[in-house]
Amino acid sequence: VQLQASGGGLVQAGGSLRLSCAASGRTGSSYAMGWFRQAPGKEREFVAAISWSGGSTYYADSVKGRFTISRDNAKNTVYLQMNSLKPEDTAVYYCAAVSEWGPPPQNWYRSYEYDYWGQGTLVTVSS
């Protein structure tokens, strides 16, 4: 599976961005998808995850209520709608895929559980 993240950019605090992650390759398999981010000098951290069906979503406390993860399996694309952005949201955002036959959902916050990664897209939030 190849993942291509896009949609990053520069936005003022309080603004919004929508990230996209397009999947290609073995997209016929059932994959849960996650978004992670890595700020300069910090470790990669979990942002959100969504099940294959889209029926279950999970969020980091830091983004809960502001970010929404969704997916369109017909387009093989996962989205991250980011609202009320803060300067501390500045980071490179990565999408990742994990088989739904793999680790249980409660482990989807762990980056090492994921099988495939996109290249990242930079989000910069100015104050």
Side-chain angles (χ1 to χ4, degrees), residues 30-43:
S30 299
Y31 289 99
M33 298 294 294
W35 285 98
F36 290 77
R37 66 186 181 186
Q38 187 166 18
K42 294 188 176 182
E43 293 187 353

Side-chain angles (χ1 to χ4, degrees), residues 5 8 16-17 23 26 40 43 52-53 57 72 91 99-100 109 126:
S16 298
L17 278 176
R26 293 179 58 186
E43 293 187 353
W52 166 252
S53 68
T57 56
D72 184 343
S99 172
E100 284 219 344
Y109 70 96
S126 63

